[in-house]
């Protein structure tokens, strides 16, 4: 699979396995984003008036903690207090944005997830896909504890082999999508 | 009867000098693609490709780079925008 630009839109042909794997990962991401922490739609009044929500504690799940890192540097008590306040004011919005990206990807995949097919994305959908693919890689990569030296193609008896393969594939997919919006990024 | 509620938000600025600017720092991580980091820095901060690319290389090789500076409120906004894109960013007073 590879994203290409065609007639002002971006498209990719996914086979049945690719579409099913991606749809399943996006479903898991949506579940993760809904777990713990206040969902803004559950408290529309608080959302409307920009009230803080949640208690500002760091998510327990390492993947979620990577999606919503502490905002203040340093181990000082002041930084901890400030990071907690930051969470209370921003995390619901951040979650909502990531959820919207994932939902857009899920919607685009719905027609193709059973037997594969071509997804066609406009510019707004491209941004949603880029963000969602990145969130998937952050969660998966954090769980797999990848480093810059991790071999993404280990031998088959490595219990992480399949997950690392999927992780590598997501990176390739994201890189190919990036290439359709600014081809020069490949220089980076 | 009631009384005006106190501001919920702590005034943690009290002990710091107001003229020292705050900065947004992006930290290296092993997951984000180099091309994606460059793309996000261009998109969020309006940097040229060469400037964004140089900042990304600082992140990659030096472990961190200052990507913007300003008031604390501005930097909180920038950090939130970085987190929305998946970059590992923090703010601190310079």
């Amino acid at each position: 699979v590879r994203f290409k630009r065609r007639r002002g839109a971006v498209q990719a042909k996914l086979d049945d396995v690719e579409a099913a794997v991606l749809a399943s990962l996006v479903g898991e991401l949506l579940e993760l984003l809904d777990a713990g922490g206040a969902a803004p739609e559950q408290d529309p009044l608080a959302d409307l008036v920009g009230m803080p929500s949640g208690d500002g504690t760091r998510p327990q799940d390492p993947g979620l903690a990577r999606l919503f890192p502490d905002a203040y540097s340093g181990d000082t008590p002041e930084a901890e207090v400030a990071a907690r306040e930051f969470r209370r004011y921003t995390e619901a919005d951040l979650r909502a944005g990531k959820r919207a990206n994932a939902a857009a990807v899920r919607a685009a995949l719905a027609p193709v997830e059973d037997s594969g097919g071509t997804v066609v994305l406009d510019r707004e959908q491209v941004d949603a896909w880029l963000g969602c693919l990145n969130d998937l890689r952050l969660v998966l990569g954090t769980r797999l504890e990848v480093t810059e030296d991790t071999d993404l193609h280990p031998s088959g008896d490595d219990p992480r082999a399949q997950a690392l393969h999927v992780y590598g594939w997501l990176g390739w997919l994201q890189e190919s999508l990036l290439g359709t919006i600014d081809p020069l990024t490949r220089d980076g | 009867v009631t009384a005006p509620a106190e501001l919920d938000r702590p005034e943690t600025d009290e002990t710091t000098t107001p003229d020292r600017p705050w900065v947004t720092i992006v930290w290296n991580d092993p997951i984000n693609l180099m091309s994606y980091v460059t793309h996000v820095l261009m998109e969020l901060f309006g940097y040229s490709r060469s400037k964004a690319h140089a900042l990304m290389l600082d992140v990659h090789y030096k472990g961190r780079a200052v990507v913007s500076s300003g008031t604390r409120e501005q930097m909180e906004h920038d950090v939130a925008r970085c987190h929305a894109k998946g970059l590992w960013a923090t703010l601190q007073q310079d």
Side-chain angles (χ1 to χ4, degrees):
Chain A
V1 59
R2 177 176 179 167
F3 283 102
K4 290 174 188 159
R5 192 158 27 182
R6 179 167 289 185
R7 295 191 201 98
V10 167
Q11 60 182 59
K13 196 172 175 186
L14 297 159
D15 69 29
D16 54 343
V17 175
E18 292 168 332
V21 166
L22 197 52
S24 149
L25 289 169
V26 172
E28 284 171 32
L29 178 64
L30 279 164
E31 276 179 34
L32 183 66
L33 288 169
D34 285 335
E41 63 268 27
Q42 289 168 353
D43 193 352
L45 182 64
D47 192 40
L48 189 68
V49 298
M51 273 166 56
S53 57
D55 59 4
T57 52
R58 189 181 309 150
Q60 296 282 315
D61 180 276
L64 271 186
R66 176 58 190 82
L67 291 184
F68 308 108
D70 282 339
Y72 280 80
S73 332
D75 291 329
T76 63
E78 291 80 13
E80 267 179 48
V81 169
R84 204 156 52 232
E85 280 300 291
F86 181 89
R87 266 181 209 291
R88 293 180 63 222
Y89 280 89
T90 63
E91 197 178 304
D93 275 352
L94 285 175
R95 271 184 197 252
K98 290 178 186 300
R99 199 182 287 114
N101 286 344
V105 174
R106 186 167 63 176
L109 283 173
V112 304
E113 69 178 296
D114 287 333
S115 44
T118 301
V119 290
V120 181
L121 311 177
D122 62 23
R123 181 55 212 259
E124 201 176 323
Q125 288 171 303
V126 167
D127 283 339
W129 276 64
L130 269 183
C132 181
L133 287 172
N134 206 64
D135 289 343
L136 288 174
R137 293 183 62 255
L138 288 173
V139 171
L140 194 54
T142 301
R143 288 187 176 164
L144 289 167
E145 299 179 341
V146 298
T147 67
E148 275 156 8
D149 302 321
T150 298
D151 179 7
L152 299 183
H153 305 284
S155 61
D157 51 354
D158 186 320
R160 300 185 305 164
Q162 196 179 347
L164 284 170
H165 176 77
V166 169
Y167 172 79
W169 176 69
L170 288 172
W172 197 81
L173 201 59
Q174 189 187 18
E175 189 85 63
S176 110
L177 185 53
L178 271 171
T180 66
I181 48 173
D182 36 20
L184 293 176
T185 51
R186 283 166 188 284
D187 299 346
Chain B
V1 293
T2 186
E6 286 190 5
L7 277 179
D8 187 41
R9 198 155 194 174
E11 299 288 336
T12 42
D13 266 338
E14 275 169 7
T15 55
T16 55
T17 326
D19 4 319
R20 272 168 63 216
W22 288 73
V23 291
T24 293
I25 296 169
V26 171
W27 300 83
N28 191 34
D29 77 88
I31 298 174
N32 280 319
L33 299 172
M34 296 168 94
S35 54
Y36 179 71
V37 173
T38 302
H39 166 77
V40 168
L41 292 176
M42 290 171 67
E43 186 181 270
L44 291 186
F45 301 105
Y47 293 145
S48 66
R49 174 171 302 282
S50 60
K51 165 127 186 177
H53 182 74
L55 287 171
M56 178 279 292
L57 289 178
D58 275 356
V59 170
H60 187 70
Y61 290 109
K62 298 180 186 168
R64 51 174 271 177
V66 171
V67 299
S68 67
S69 64
T71 66
R72 181 174 180 174
E73 288 69 29
Q74 288 166 340
M75 295 306 99
E76 286 201 332
H77 180 64
D78 284 354
V79 165
R81 294 194 304 147
C82 286
H83 289 182
K85 295 291 183 184
L87 300 195
W88 178 22
T90 60
L91 68 150
Q92 67 186 51
Q93 199 162 23
D94 202 8

